Amino acid sequence: LQTMSGNEDDWLALKPQEPSPSQCCGSGCKPCIYDVYEKELALWERAKAKQDKSLLMEKKEQSNNSELNPDTFTAFNISSVEQLTEDTYQYKFELLGNSSLRLSLGQHIVLRGVVNGLEVQRAYTPISPGNAEGYFEVLMKCYEAGLMSQYIKTWKKGDTVFWRGPFGGFPYQPNKHGELLMLASGTGLAPMLPILQSITDDEEDETFVTLVGCFRTFDKIYLKPLLRDLARYWNIRIFYVLSQETSLEKLPWSYQENTYTGRLNEDLMKTIINSCRRKPYVLICGSSTFNEDMSRYLKAAGIEENSCFVF
């Protein structure tokens, strides 16, 4: 009997832990962490019924081959850390050999962090081109009180962190839409960049793009050199909306004609849509409030819901 109860404890120790709400990133991943848990629990129950622990081993092996996987977390090393603004960082992660993540456009990956013993998961969209070889890059904003931010702020070059994915994405096809209107707030810029880069890299793709980047101040605009290069293409326009700047006079003159102060409101939205060369298909990425506001302004400007995609 002694051995039976000891055995029972062994099995309990192997039982998968049910995820806490903080572990779900809320981005509608397939599989969600809860799906993974259900799958692992079913596997555990099967193994326990057969009293065969070797059945639990199969899922442990796949996480060390440095290949991104939607079901298990994989370890990646940080190869560089660059601070872009006071609270925004760009992290570069190593991929073994010259492999690439092979993400579809705008797909996100999920990061796992442990803070004060609490496991947290958040979704981020790599900003590097999907076919970048040997590395991928992620733009991250750290919030004063954010749990994940506390974890991210401790990162140094050479550290190992865990990702799984990819999930989601925008099913972009060259020349399918006459014009894309991209509305991005802060790090919401991330899923737009791979799409922009795929358009500029493809000489056959003649899609017009109007990107509207919403930031608090001029200093808070991320990746200015990259955006400046993209805006040189004949089919790409970039506007900035700076909510906390009061005057354009202090900005470099090259920014003055395509920057607005204040917030992106219904009137400004109508102005921007009227300036589009074709009826736009709209991509939106920002906080949930930003996404809701944008959807409302677009509706007022006569853009149907089936002409919008929210990341």
Side-chain angles (χ1 to χ4, degrees), residues 138-197:
V138 183
L139 184 66
M140 295 177 153
K141 181 171 180 168
C142 290
Y143 296 90
E144 208 44 59
L147 273 177
M148 188 59 99
S149 301
Q150 293 171 30
Y151 167 60
I152 292 169
K153 280 181 192 161
T154 65
W155 288 358
K156 311 177 296 302
K157 185 180 167 177
D159 284 354
T160 301
V161 303
F162 289 85
W163 293 99
R164 75 181 176 99
F167 303 104
F170 169 62
Y172 179 73
Q173 289 163 353
N175 298 312
K176 180 180 174 187
H177 305 288
E179 180 152 359
L180 288 177
L181 171 58
M182 299 178 166
L183 307 173
S185 168
T187 45
L189 194 59
M192 309 300 180
L193 293 173
I195 298 172
L196 276 165
Q197 285 169 319

Side-chain angles (χ1 to χ4, degrees), residues 13-302:
L14 292 169
K15 187 176 181 176
Q17 291 285 308
E18 181 167 0
S20 66
S22 72
Q23 287 175 263
C24 175
C25 72
S27 300
C29 306
K30 299 259 180 294
C32 168
I33 180 136
Y34 285 102
D35 300 333
V36 176
Y37 165 70
E38 297 294 338
K39 200 166 136 191
E40 290 183 352
L41 188 63
L43 183 67
W44 176 82
E45 283 166 349
R46 205 162 64 234
K48 184 171 185 279
K50 293 188 175 168
Q51 291 289 305
D52 180 0
K53 288 182 187 155
S54 70
L55 291 175
L56 298 175
M57 287 313 155
E58 58 191 75
K59 72 173 199 320
K60 293 284 184 278
E61 291 163 358
Q62 59 195 69
S63 60
N64 297 331
N65 59 6
S66 170
E67 284 242 335
L68 195 61
N69 181 310
D71 297 297
T72 42
F73 281 94
T74 302
F76 293 94
N77 287 340
I78 299 174
S79 56
S80 76
V81 176
E82 189 186 343
Q83 186 163 1
L84 300 182
T85 67
E86 66 207 41
D87 56 3
T88 313
Y89 299 81
Q90 186 172 341
Y91 295 96
K92 195 171 189 174
F93 299 89
E94 257 169 69
L95 290 172
L96 291 186
N98 266 349
S99 62
S100 91
L101 278 187
R102 293 192 295 278
L103 296 188
S104 304
L105 294 174
Q107 282 194 308
H108 66 266
I109 54 180
V110 172
L111 170 69
R112 180 179 69 193
V114 178
V115 188
N116 312 331
L118 182 68
E119 186 177 295
V120 195
Q121 298 192 15
R122 290 282 178 279
Y124 295 93
T125 307
I127 56 172
S128 39
N131 54 1
E133 295 182 349
Y135 77 95
F136 66 95
E137 288 175 312
V138 183
L139 184 66
M140 295 177 153
K141 181 171 180 168
C142 290
Y143 296 90
E144 208 44 59
L147 273 177
M148 188 59 99
S149 301
Q150 293 171 30
Y151 167 60
I152 292 169
K153 280 181 192 161
T154 65
W155 288 358
K156 311 177 296 302
K157 185 180 167 177
D159 284 354
T160 301
V161 303
F162 289 85
W163 293 99
R164 75 181 176 99
F167 303 104
F170 169 62
Y172 179 73
Q173 289 163 353
N175 298 312
K176 180 180 174 187
H177 305 288
E179 180 152 359
L180 288 177
L181 171 58
M182 299 178 166
L183 307 173
S185 168
T187 45
L189 194 59
M192 309 300 180
L193 293 173
I195 298 172
L196 276 165
Q197 285 169 319
S198 87
I199 291 171
T200 55
D201 287 349
D202 179 355
E203 285 181 9
E204 306 287 301
D205 193 343
E206 299 187 346
T207 308
F208 284 116
V209 181
T210 298
L211 168 65
V212 183
C214 301
F215 298 92
R216 289 210 295 270
T217 60
F218 179 73
D219 294 338
K220 291 214 169 17
I221 300 175
Y222 315 125
L223 308 168
K224 288 190 185 88
L226 172 62
L227 293 169
R228 224 176 11 245
D229 289 345
L230 287 167
R232 291 198 178 105
Y233 284 85
W234 64 275
N235 51 341
I236 305 229
R237 301 186 302 172
I238 301 183
F239 293 114
Y240 297 101
V241 181
L242 306 176
S243 60
Q244 291 176 9
E245 294 282 1
T246 46
S247 132
L248 295 175
E249 285 162 20
K250 297 193 217 58
L251 304 191
W253 66 266
S254 61
Y255 281 88
Q256 290 182 15
E257 61 178 339
N258 58 350
T259 301
Y260 298 92
T261 57
R263 292 197 169 276
L264 176 45
N265 56 22
E266 201 176 301
D267 288 343
L268 181 51
M269 181 73 87
K270 285 182 178 155
T271 305
I272 289 170
I273 288 172
N274 289 337
S275 76
C276 287
R277 291 138 293 191
R278 300 176 183 154
K279 190 166 184 195
Y281 185 93
V282 190
L283 303 180
I284 307 171
C285 188
S287 66
S288 49
T289 349
F290 176 83
N291 296 351
E292 285 161 23
D293 288 347
M294 295 308 111
S295 302
R296 210 169 55 247
Y297 303 154
L298 287 165
K299 204 169 170 181

